Amino acid sequence: SDIPDYCTGVLILPTDYKPDSRLSAVKTVRKLGREIEFTRQEQTALVNWVVRHFQALGKGIARADAEYLIFVSGSLMNRLLPEIQKCALYAKGDAVTREDIDAVAHHLPEARVFEMTEQLSRRNFDGAFAILAELLQMRDQSPIMILAVIGKQMRNLYAARVAVDDRLGKDFVMETCA
């Protein structure tokens, strides 16, 4: 209550955190301030948003390629916007293709790990090793985090294999791998 009018205080909370409304600090913030919630867009709305941004830059993109961009670069709009701009500037034709996205868009480590495990499942060990070497060269990613993501992806593949073998169904796989 003693923050001057010319100042703005901002509290940023993780997306999965829900403040306890019974606490006096939460009550005070809600009484004296304003709560603004930024939520993630659903896949359909996000794909439409990506397509519109490419159109505004004079480029087209297939819905499948827009979904691929979201998969490899993440679903946060503030991270997608620079990737959209890079891809639009890089693309030679009227439409942005998957090859354009692969050439210039930032790939999240999780997406690269997914690609690496796909290479392993195809027994393309050289391709998997090349992706691993690329991940290890990223200065902003620790090897432990990369190992954790690889472990998670391998657990998901194992869960899918067990579900297929035991005829547990698609719902079991979706719940286990979420």
Side-chain angles (χ1 to χ4, degrees):
S1 63
D2 61 349
I3 297 176
D5 291 340
Y6 57 85
C7 287
T8 301
V10 178
L11 300 174
I12 300 174
L13 303 174
T15 55
D16 58 346
Y17 178 78
K18 299 293 181 212
D20 187 351
S21 299
R22 300 172 294 178
L23 297 175
S24 62
V26 174
K27 290 178 183 177
T28 303
V29 167
R30 288 185 173 157
K31 177 182 168 195
L32 300 173
R34 184 173 14 167
E35 186 175 344
I36 301 172
E37 187 174 337
F38 297 95
T39 59
R40 290 181 186 258
Q41 292 290 316
E42 292 182 20
Q43 182 76 3
T44 304
L46 192 57
V47 169
N48 292 337
W49 180 84
V50 168
V51 169
R52 282 193 312 273
H53 273 76
F54 275 114
Q55 288 171 344
L57 295 170
K59 298 287 183 176
I61 187 168
R63 292 188 70 75
D65 292 337
E67 290 172 356
Y68 178 71
L69 176 64
I70 293 166
F71 172 73
V72 299
S73 296
S75 61
L76 296 177
M77 290 177 170
N78 62 337
R79 290 191 184 157
L80 278 172
L81 198 53
E83 304 311 317
I84 291 170
Q85 292 167 344
K86 283 193 295 189
C87 291
L89 290 171
Y90 178 81
K92 302 291 185 232
D94 293 336
V96 174
T97 64
R98 185 174 290 223
E99 289 77 25
D100 298 328
I101 294 167
D102 284 336
V104 296
H106 172 73
H107 286 56
L108 293 174
E110 293 85 0
R112 296 299 289 158
V113 167
F114 182 81
E115 292 170 16
M116 185 177 73
T117 55
E118 210 171 282
Q119 294 294 328
L120 287 171
S121 67
R122 291 183 181 145
R123 300 194 183 282
N124 179 2
F125 302 116
D126 291 338
F129 186 73
I131 294 171
L132 178 61
E134 179 185 320
L135 285 168
L136 291 172
Q137 287 178 351
M138 299 172 94
R139 300 212 186 273
D140 59 339
Q141 301 300 326
S142 75
I144 298 298
M145 192 283 305
I146 294 169
L147 182 62
V149 174
I150 292 170
K152 180 181 181 219
Q153 185 62 27
M154 296 306 285
R155 280 191 309 274
N156 288 345
L157 288 172
Y158 181 70
R161 180 80 253 162
V162 168
V164 167
D165 291 345
D166 294 346
R167 294 181 177 79
L168 297 174
K170 173 178 78 169
D171 294 335
F172 174 81
V173 174
M174 298 287 283
E175 182 181 322
T176 305
C177 296

